[in-house]
Structure formats: structure tokens, C-alpha cells
Amino acid sequence: MMAKQITQQTFDDVVKENMQEFEMTAEEAIEDAVKQFESQEVNLANIIRDVSLYSGADGNDTTVHPVIAAVQKLSQALDGDVPDTASVISDLATVEHECSIDLSHRCLAGSNQAYPTLLKALRKFAADERVISATLQAFCALVNGQPDLLDEEGSSLFIQYLSDFQEKSEVLLLVVRLIRLFCVKHESNRQAFVAKDLIKLLSGLLQSQQSSPDLVKEICFALRVLTFDDDVRVPFGKAHEHAKMIVTEGDALKAILKISEVYSNNVGVLGELFLTLGSLAVRNEFCEEVLSLGGVQLILQAFEKNLSDKAIVRQALVVLRALAGSDKVKVAVVKQRGVELVVASMVKHASNAAIAEGACGVIATLTLRNPDHCTKVMECQGHEAVVQAMKIHPKDAAVQKQACMALRNLVARTREHSTAILELGAEALLNQAASKHKQCEDEAKAALRDLGCAVHLQERWTGQKGALGQ
């Protein structure tokens, strides 16, 4: 159920009423208004609560919100036949600043004509790169967290910009960022942009603009967002289809791996490339294509070279886990000392929960239905690292879940490993995970069962007392 929302005007009216009727100070009036609306389960994330806006002693004199004033000033500057460029750029900077403060400022701007006003600036100054850049910056600030503002005119214009500004990497970066912001948590926007050939355009830019590290990172992020399934309003998205299109129509795997070689010494770019590669590994043949192109070796080399860098280690673990869904890739990872690197990362970054989760996930994937890999992990003391991760991160449900799966896979087909794991205190840790974290109860009990421990398995339905649903 979606939380209720109110307008800024409604909130302001209640604050003014509190000040007038109950002689409250502005601070007291705001606090009381917040309590009133929150008790009614109203989401106030879009509401500005600035004491300075209620300047009158009794609340009669409410100051125009600066974000509204900024949009109005820009709109007036654009109304002239020959708008002053310097003034327009200054006003755009003010709108960007106000929208960058927080979501409430962005929402207020969005409900007071900011979107059409910014489109108007782009139309008025279609040949002025300075104004276009300033407008795109303001647009990025405005739509961050409110992608519903997009309309057909805007989406067509931004797609056109990807072709029009091929030689202007600074403008391209802003356009790609803006499109990406419109696509986050908005499935219909994603599909609309894809229908306008966004995937082909981004894939082409990835190859033609590879000399610009910031633009490469932004393009990777945008491609990755197209594979998200994060819009709660849509029961079924096209994340898988988009990933397939990026690989088959955009030839992205080859391009990403080629660029990874170029940026082998730039962990910032390399991390974005790895994360994008992981998001595209949605089919077995894609994983095997990465392997055949030398991608697994490249990833492991970068992993080993940057073992001290937490960010690149996390990202390498993400992509390795995705690729290891293929049995052929599993074998290649283990042959190329992947297990040793994963365990080394867990030891080196033992306090980092994200690395612990990722590493346990990789171990669980590598050992699934593969006894030889289980033996390899045990030889590398991987089981000790997994148990240690459970001890260090008892409150992190994600770590506990992946660790449970890793321990279970280590003994599911190789029960001879059970004693070594149990001697580390795994039984108590698994019981603790099952009791503390509902989301990993099944995985913990499965691990306990395969380790030969006593475990209470709940029989959810026995066929007695009527049919299911009664």
C-alpha cells in the first residue's frame, strides 16, 4: 500500500493555522504539523520544513519558497524575445542548487513547472552549448528521485542529443546521466527509451568515447540501470530482455572487456565495467562468451593486482559470482586460482560485510554440485573463512544467508568435510542464524541437516484439516 502524500501548500496551511490559532512559534507549529500528518501515515519526504519560510509572527506572512522563486525567475528570464544568456545561466544554477538540497525541494520544483521551464530553456538556446550544459545539470538535480516528470517531448529530445553531441563528451555525460536518472525505479521510462534505440546508442558511445573515463563509467551505469527490476508498481519488467539486447544487439561483452584492458590500472572505471559485466551475465552462453574472450582471466588478474582495494574486490566478487553460474566458468575460475583469491580477500577484509557476503556467495556458487571444488575450498581453508565471517557479522542477514549456503554446499555431496566444519563451531552459528534472521532460516536448516546435526524441520502442510488455503 502506497503511503499518502500531501502538497507543500497543505502543510504550510496547517503550520500557519497552528501559529494563528494556537499562538505557536514557527518551530512549534512545524513540529506539531509533522506529528499530525505522521499520525495519519502521511509520507512527508516531499515536504520542506524550513522555519525561515514562516516569517510573520502569526504566520500570516509566508515567504515564497526559494525553489519556487528560482523557477519563476528562470521562467521570466526566458519569456523575452532575446533572453540574456548570463542571467539565464545564473538562474539555472540557482534552480540546480535548490533542487540539490533534498527530495522535498525537488518535489516542490517539479510541482511548480520546473520541468517544462527547463525544456523551454533547451528550446530557446538550442545552439548554445553553455546554456544546454547548465540546463542539463539543473535537470539532473530536478529528476533525481522523481522520474515521473518525463514526457514524450523530453525523452525524444534527450535521445536526439546522444547523436547531436557526439563530439562533446561533457554534454554527452550529462545527457547519459539524465537518462539514467529517468530510468531508475521507472520501468515504463526504461522501456520507452529502449524503444527509441537507447541500447544501440549507448553501446556505440561506449566504444567511440572510451578515451573519456568519466563518460565510460556513466554509460556503464546507464546500461546497468536498464537491467534493474526496481519499480514496485510493475509486476513484471523487462530486465532480462534488456540485458539480452545489450549483449546481442550492442555487442557489449566484447566492448566492455576491451575497455577493461585499456583501464586495467584505473580501479574506478574497472569497477563499473565489472559491475556492468555481472549484470549482463543472465544466460549461460553469455557467461561462456566472457570466458572465451578471456574475461575471467582479466577479472582474476585485476582481483589479484588490487586485492587491497575494497571497492574493486567487492565488484570482482559480484561479477565472478554471476559468471560462475556457468559450469564451464566455475572450472576456469578454480583452475586460475580463484578460490585462493576469494579466501585471501575474506581474510584481508574480514571486517567488511559486503566483501564477506560476496565471497561467501562465490564459494557457494563454485561448490554447487561440484565435489572437487568443495575439496579445493577446504584445502584453501575456505570453510574457516566462511565460519569466521559468520562470527564477525552475526547481525548481517545477507552475510549469514550466503555463509549458510556455502557451508551447505561444502558438505551436500562430500559429507567427509562435516567434521572439520563442525569443529569450528558451525552448528551453534547456524542455529543462531536461523533464530535471528527469518530470511535465512531455510538455508541454515539445510546446512544443519547436511552437516548431520539435529534440526527441527517444520512440516508446513500435512494434508489434514482441509485443503490448502482453508
Side-chain angles (χ1 to χ4, degrees):
M1 182 178 177
M2 300 293 286
K4 294 177 285 186
Q5 289 190 326
I6 58 170
T7 65
Q8 184 70 47
Q9 185 61 54
T10 299
F11 184 82
D12 291 344
D13 288 344
V14 171
V15 173
K16 287 190 287 184
E17 181 182 357
N18 285 343
M19 295 176 71
Q20 294 165 5
E21 299 295 327
F22 304 106
E23 298 182 352
M24 293 182 180
T25 65
E27 292 91 340
E28 293 169 337
I30 292 172
E31 183 180 356
D32 184 77
V34 169
K35 288 180 179 178
Q36 284 185 53
F37 287 117
E38 287 183 343
S39 69
Q40 300 168 40
E41 298 184 347
V42 173
N43 183 350
L44 297 177
N46 63 321
I47 299 300
I48 297 175
R49 316 172 199 182
D50 189 343
V51 173
S52 66
L53 297 172
Y54 310 98
S55 58
D58 58 0
N60 279 320
D61 183 16
T62 304
T63 304
V64 175
H65 290 274
V67 67
I68 297 177
V71 173
Q72 292 174 343
K73 191 169 183 292
L74 174 61
S75 181
Q76 292 167 4
L78 293 169
D79 282 340
D81 292 334
V82 185
D84 179 67
T85 302
S87 296
V88 169
I89 290 176
S90 175
D91 293 338
L92 284 165
T94 304
V95 172
E96 179 194 357
H97 169 74
E98 288 295 326
C99 289
S100 297
I101 294 174
D102 58 25
L103 180 60
S104 64
H105 285 70
R106 294 193 282 278
C107 290
L108 188 57
S111 62
N112 282 272
Q113 300 299 302
Y115 181 90
T117 302
L118 292 177
L119 275 184
K120 184 178 180 181
L122 292 176
R123 291 194 301 269
K124 280 261 187 178
F125 291 88
D128 193 317
E129 189 180 323
R130 292 180 303 157
V131 176
I132 289 174
S133 293
T135 306
L136 291 172
Q137 288 174 336
F139 251 127
C140 288
L142 171 67
V143 305
N144 185 11
Q146 50 173 355
D148 284 328
L149 294 175
L150 183 69
D151 62 7
E152 175 61 27
E153 179 186 0
S155 63
S156 297
L157 181 61
F158 303 137
I159 284 289
Q160 185 60 43
Y161 278 179
L162 292 178
S163 299
D164 291 348
F165 292 98
Q166 292 270 348
E167 305 302 318
K168 304 290 183 181
S169 60
E170 297 85 358
V171 177
L172 277 177
L173 187 145
L174 291 170
V175 177
V176 174
R177 179 176 298 159
L178 179 58
I179 291 174
R180 185 250 299 169
L181 290 168
F182 275 124
C183 291
V184 172
K185 296 185 179 179
H186 207 294
E187 181 64 22
S188 62
N189 283 357
R190 282 194 285 261
Q191 294 185 25
F193 277 120
V194 169
K196 290 179 167 64
D197 282 335
L198 175 63
I199 287 174
K200 288 184 178 179
L201 286 165
L202 289 179
S203 298
L205 289 173
L206 187 60
Q207 298 178 59
S208 65
Q209 302 291 327
Q210 61 181 277
S211 60
S212 172
D214 289 338
L215 186 50
V216 167
K217 289 165 64 176
E218 197 62 61
I219 293 171
C220 283
F221 199 172
L223 286 172
R224 204 157 64 247
V225 167
L226 294 179
T227 70
F228 285 3
D229 185 17
D230 57 359
D231 190 342
V232 296
R233 300 168 294 185
V234 179
F236 302 104
K238 291 190 174 182
H240 187 277
E241 291 90 330
H242 290 167
K244 180 182 175 183
M245 290 173 67
I246 293 169
V247 174
T248 57
E249 297 180 16
D251 199 17
L253 296 180
K254 188 179 296 182
I256 289 172
L257 291 172
K258 182 180 178 181
I259 297 170
S260 295
E261 294 178 1
V262 175
Y263 287 99
S264 60
N265 293 318
N266 187 324
V267 293
V269 178
L270 206 56
E272 287 294 329
L273 290 163
F274 284 176
L275 288 176
T276 306
L277 201 60
S279 70
L280 301 179
V282 295
R283 301 178 65 155
N284 195 66
E285 59 264 36
F286 296 167
C287 298
E288 293 182 6
E289 183 179 349
V290 173
L291 176 62
S292 66
L293 291 170
V296 171
Q297 183 179 4
L298 188 153
I299 293 163
L300 290 172
Q301 286 175 346
F303 192 171
E304 184 172 17
K305 181 179 178 180
N306 301 285
L307 193 59
S308 297
D309 189 293
K310 294 178 183 178
I312 197 68
V313 166
R314 286 198 305 270
Q315 291 147 352
L317 290 169
V318 168
V319 68
L320 284 174
R321 181 180 172 191
L323 293 172
S326 158
D327 288 338
K328 287 185 178 179
V329 174
K330 283 182 194 177
V331 172
V333 170
V334 174
K335 282 185 176 179
Q336 296 178 43
R337 299 186 66 253
V339 173
E340 288 88 338
L341 287 172
V342 171
V343 175
S345 72
M346 295 181 76
V347 174
K348 191 171 189 65
H349 304 287
S351 62
N352 189 293
I355 290 176
E357 177 196 352
C360 287
V362 173
I363 290 174
T365 304
L366 292 176
T367 54
L368 180 64
R369 299 187 302 273
N370 196 312
D372 290 340
H373 291 178
C374 294
T375 300
K376 180 65 175 180
V377 171
M378 297 294 290
E379 290 173 353
C380 294
Q381 286 76 51
H383 61 302
E384 295 180 10
V386 173
V387 171
Q388 188 66 13
M390 295 186 76
K391 292 178 179 177
I392 295 174
H393 306 284
K395 296 180 180 179
D396 194 304
V399 173
Q400 296 295 314
K401 183 171 184 175
Q402 294 303 321
C404 291
M405 292 171 67
L407 292 179
R408 189 255 172 173
N409 289 352
L410 280 171
V411 297
R413 300 192 181 195
T414 48
R415 297 298 172 91
E416 62 270 22
H417 298 151
S418 298
T419 301
I421 293 173
L422 289 172
E423 286 176 350
L424 299 173
E427 182 176 4
L429 291 168
L430 289 166
N431 279 314
Q432 179 177 289
S435 62
K436 281 191 173 182
H437 304 290
K438 190 71 176 176
Q439 55 268 59
C440 63
E441 182 180 3
D442 290 343
E443 289 79 5
K445 288 185 175 181
L448 286 165
R449 178 198 64 210
D450 288 352
L451 281 164
C453 302
V455 57
H456 173 65
L457 298 174
Q458 181 180 357
E459 196 169 17
R460 300 189 187 281
W461 183 62
T462 63
Q464 302 300 314
K465 298 182 180 179
L468 281 171
Q470 292 185 347

